[in-house]
Amino acid sequence: MTDAFTGKTWWIIGASEGLGAALAQAIDARGASVILSARSGDKLTQLATTLNDAQVLPMDVTNTDSVNKAAAQARHADAMLYCVGTYEPMDAKVWEATAVEHMIDTNFTGAARVLADVVPHYVTRGSGHIMLIGSLSGYRGLPAAVGYSASKAALMHLGENLLLDLRGTGVTVQMANPGYIKTRLTAKNDFAMPQIMSPEAAADHVIRAIDSGRFETAFPRPFAWLFKWGRYLPRALFNRVF
């Protein structure tokens, strides 16, 4: 199998902390150059000092001009990894429009903004690698997940679209769907989170998913099985679990 990392350049979007930062470190350790993007230039600069070959490229995925300018500077990248995520636990009965719209704009529409440049460029070039970070919560509707669950489901569906449309173009499309990761976002939860992972452990899963060449990887097992195969359970039975 072709090495996806050694001598390659990966554009990591959402690299300032959590899983994105852990992935930047893991990909750097595999011999790749990295382009680090997120809104926080200071955090990216600090992370870059710990890496072998890193370029800092601040970008706000909710701003089209910011995305276009950054994409123009990252066109030499061999691969793009979208690891942006924002989350607010929310029950539909207490709907907060601004928070819901921000989750959708960041987690899904932001990816579409980036892909609007990346996909045509990779297709024209005849090579490229796209990795999207979804979520186990995107497999089926969950309680108190208005905005987040739906936005991740949309991103995962978009990945399926890309897989079909980009066959034969030289562009590789992959998707990794993690469970709970210990970050400032999951710290907002007031419930038990089974098999919660460190960012480093989750990054290791993503790296192994990239190496595998599989389109879709859900982790950690066996928790992931509940979500991935739960789509085929009767809805009433699935809902009873939650």
Side-chain angles (χ1 to χ4, degrees):
M1 183 177 295
T2 302
D3 187 342
F5 299 106
T6 303
K8 303 292 180 62
T9 298
W10 279 74
W11 184 19
I12 306 171
I13 303 171
S16 60
E17 57 186 305
L19 177 58
L23 280 166
Q25 293 169 330
I27 291 172
D28 174 79
R30 287 288 299 269
S33 301
V34 293
I35 303 170
L36 308 174
S37 286
R39 289 182 299 174
S40 177
D42 290 343
K43 290 181 179 179
L44 296 177
T45 299
Q46 184 177 3
L47 174 61
T49 64
T50 70
L51 304 176
N52 295 305
D53 187 1
Q55 174 188 349
V56 173
L57 185 59
M59 178 180 70
D60 180 355
V61 299
T62 68
N63 183 289
T64 300
D65 288 340
S66 178
V67 170
N68 289 344
K69 289 176 183 177
Q73 297 181 61
R75 291 178 73 80
H76 63 287
D78 300 286
M80 185 277 287
L81 190 155
Y82 195 84
C83 190
V84 179
T86 190
Y87 165 69
E88 291 293 338
M90 187 184 308
D91 189 302
K93 295 187 293 294
V94 288
W95 193 291
E96 297 178 22
T98 300
V100 171
E101 291 167 12
H102 182 60
M103 282 186 274
I104 293 171
D105 199 22
T106 302
N107 300 346
F108 172 63
T109 311
R113 289 189 185 95
V114 175
L115 290 165
D117 179 272
V118 167
V119 171
H121 175 57
Y122 283 5
V123 170
T124 299
R125 190 174 66 187
S127 66
H129 197 143
I130 296 167
M131 168 56 90
L132 305 177
I133 305 299
S135 169
L136 295 184
S137 70
Y139 283 115
R140 201 155 188 179
L142 299 174
V146 171
Y148 184 79
S149 181
S151 63
K152 286 296 187 177
L155 180 65
M156 291 156 63
H157 193 111
L158 178 58
E160 294 175 348
N161 296 145
L162 294 178
L163 177 69
L164 293 169
D165 287 348
L166 300 184
R167 282 178 177 169
T169 63
V171 181
T172 299
V173 180
Q174 291 183 287
M175 181 168 62
N177 304 322
Y180 296 114
I181 302 172
K182 191 172 183 179
T183 66
R184 62 178 178 82
L185 298 181
T186 52
K188 300 175 182 181
N189 292 333
D190 59 0
F191 53 83
M193 292 174 277
Q195 291 189 264
I196 188 167
M197 302 166 284
S198 68
E200 292 74 22
D204 182 63
H205 278 282
V206 175
I207 295 298
R208 285 189 279 125
I210 294 170
D211 282 336
S212 75
R214 291 190 305 270
F215 164 63
E216 180 182 2
T217 301
F219 61 90
R221 294 177 293 180
F223 189 50
W225 296 339
L226 173 63
F227 292 87
K228 188 169 182 179
W229 304 116
R231 292 177 295 176
Y232 306 107
L233 291 174
R235 187 171 299 278
L237 178 59
F238 180 87
N239 290 349
R240 192 176 305 157
V241 175
F242 292 92

